[in-house]
Amino acid sequence: MNPHSSHKTGFTLVELLVVITIIGILIGLLLPAVQSAREAARRLQCTNNLKQMALAALNHESAIGHFPTNGWGYLWIGDPDRGADWRQPGGWIFNVLPYMEQMAIYSAGSDGKPSDVTADQKAGGRTMLRTPLSGFQCPSRRRAALYPAGTGYPHFRAPKYADSTEVVARADYACNGGSVFQNNGWPGGGGGPADLAEVDNAPATAQANFAAIGAKVTGVFHAGSMITMAEIRDGSSNTYLFGEKYLNPDHYSTGNGAGDNESMYMGDNGDIIRWTNVAPRQDRPGNEMGGVNYPFGSAHAGGVNMALCDGSVRSISYSIDAETHRRLGHRACGLPIDASQY
C-alpha cells in the first residue's frame, strides 16, 4: 500500500438526498402513530373526567337521597347556603363540587344568608365564575382556562349571585335531560325566577312548577330536579347520566357559541344540559346548533364519551341508532336496549 496515497470519505449529494428522503418517510410513518397515541391518552383522560363526575353524582345521591339538582336557569349560579334540593339555584356542576374535593370553590359565595344577596356573596360568586377546573375540560378540545363571557347579554357577565366579569370558566360536559327539550317553565323564560322572593315567598308554587317540568322530562336532570336512583327504572347501566357536549370549534374560545356562552357554575341551561332528541355529533367548524337541537358530541373521532347512572363510561358511536340513543336518554321508557346498535 502506498503510504502517500489519500482516501477521502464522505456523503455524495445523491447519498445525502437518499438519507433525507428516508428520514422524511420515517417521520411520515411515525407521526400518525404519535398523534394517535396522544389522542388515545387525551381520550383516556376525558373518560376519567366523566368517571369522576359520575362517582361524585352517585355519592351525592347516596348522601342526599337524589341526584344533583340542575338549578333554576341562566340568570343564576350556585349558592352554598341554599341546600341541595329544588331551592338550590346552581346546576349539577356546582352541586357535585363537594364530592370532587372542590369544597373551597363550592363555598366561595357563602354569606350565611340564604334569602339575601350580599356584597360578600357577589364577590365570592365572581371568584367562583373565574375558577376553571381541568376535570371539566376535554383535553382533545381545549385547556382549562378563562374564556370570554358571551357578548350581547349583560346577565352572562353578571348573574344574580356574582359581580360582573369579562371572563368565565366553562365545561365540556353536560347532564342528560332526556329526549324532550324542556325550558325551565318560569314566566321569564330560561333565565328562571326573577328574584329570590319569587321562590321564597311562594314555595308551593315554585315546587309545583318544578314538579310539572319533571313530569314532562324523560332524562335524569331538569330545572329543580331531584331524581332518585329508584326512578331510574330502565336500569342504571342503561341510562345516560353525563356526557360530552357538542360544540362548534369556531367558538371554542370566543364565548359566542350556542350552548357555550355562559359559566359552568350556572343553573339549568343548554350550556350544562343536553338532550337525546338528536344524535350525538362530532365537532365540526361552521356547524352551529339551533332551535331545540342541543346534542351531545365531542372532538373525538368515532364517538362521544358518555357516563351512565351506574358510574361506567362508554364510547357511543356518532352513528348510533336514533331510537337506541333516545332510550338510553330515558330513565323509564320500559323498552329494551340493543347494545349492538351503539
Side-chain angles (χ1 to χ4, degrees):
M1 180 176 180
N2 186 347
H4 300 291
S5 66
S6 63
H7 179 67
K8 296 181 179 180
T9 62
F11 284 111
T12 66
L13 179 59
V14 172
E15 290 172 329
L16 180 61
L17 291 175
V18 169
V19 170
I20 292 173
T21 301
I22 292 173
I23 292 173
I25 292 172
L26 290 175
I27 291 174
L29 292 173
L30 289 173
L31 189 58
V34 172
Q35 291 174 331
S36 179
R38 287 178 176 173
E39 171 55 18
R42 290 191 291 261
R43 185 156 197 155
L44 181 61
Q45 181 59 53
C46 180
T47 299
N48 185 63
N49 289 347
L50 280 163
K51 182 73 173 180
Q52 296 308 311
M53 293 172 210
L55 291 176
L58 288 169
N59 286 334
H60 182 289
E61 200 277 340
S62 177
I64 306 297
H66 58 79
F67 284 105
T69 184
N70 206 38
W72 294 352
Y74 60 69
L75 290 174
W76 299 88
I77 59 173
D79 181 350
D81 299 318
R82 290 186 65 88
D85 64 9
W86 56 271
R87 297 174 183 85
Q88 171 57 245
W92 70 270
I93 294 177
F94 173 79
N95 286 293
V96 299
L97 291 176
Y99 303 91
M100 298 184 73
E101 300 182 344
Q102 297 295 343
M103 196 65 189
I105 300 174
Y106 176 83
S107 302
S110 178
D111 62 359
K113 299 178 179 180
S115 296
D116 295 319
V117 182
T118 65
D120 287 343
Q121 183 175 27
K122 295 181 76 173
R126 184 177 188 271
T127 297
M128 180 172 66
L129 290 178
R130 296 171 63 92
T131 305
L133 293 172
S134 60
F136 288 90
Q137 307 289 164
C138 171
S140 292
R141 180 180 281 160
R142 56 188 176 182
R143 63 189 180 89
L146 293 175
Y147 296 95
T151 59
Y153 299 90
H155 62 265
F156 290 178
R157 301 178 182 276
K160 297 288 186 180
Y161 279 142
D163 288 329
S164 180
T165 175
E166 298 296 311
V167 290
V168 296
R170 291 204 165 86
D172 289 331
Y173 305 97
C175 61
N176 168 34
S179 60
V180 179
F181 179 92
Q182 181 64 41
N183 210 332
N184 61 27
W186 287 89
D195 51 41
L196 287 174
E198 194 171 349
V199 173
D200 292 346
N201 293 348
T205 300
Q207 190 172 15
N209 177 67
F210 292 133
I213 296 169
K216 301 174 184 177
V217 169
T218 64
V220 184
F221 298 88
H222 57 80
S225 59
M226 294 172 57
I227 301 297
T228 67
M229 184 64 81
E231 294 177 82
I232 313 296
R233 293 195 292 273
D234 284 350
S236 60
S237 62
N238 292 320
T239 308
Y240 293 145
L241 183 62
F242 304 129
E244 298 180 85
K245 67 180 188 181
Y246 171 80
L247 289 180
N248 178 352
D250 294 337
H251 296 297
Y252 280 173
S253 60
T254 68
N256 293 321
D260 193 54
N261 50 9
E262 301 171 62
S263 162
M264 62 189 277
Y265 302 110
M266 65 187 303
D268 188 72
N269 181 265
D271 278 35
I272 62 170
I273 185 171
R274 292 298 168 94
W275 293 270
T276 56
N277 59 319
V278 289
R281 63 178 70 163
Q282 187 174 9
D283 293 0
R284 295 294 186 193
N287 189 353
E288 198 58 88
M289 298 176 296
V292 298
N293 296 320
Y294 280 73
F296 289 99
S298 80
H300 306 302
V304 55
N305 288 323
M306 300 292 295
L308 285 85
C309 291
D310 65 351
S312 65
V313 180
R314 303 180 194 173
S315 178
I316 302 298
S317 172
Y318 297 123
S319 60
I320 183 175
D321 173 71
E323 177 60 16
T324 300
H325 186 53
R326 186 192 72 81
R327 293 181 188 182
L328 284 166
H330 202 304
R331 65 179 184 269
C333 69
L335 298 171
I337 302 293
D338 184 355
S340 69
Q341 299 301 307
Y342 65 90

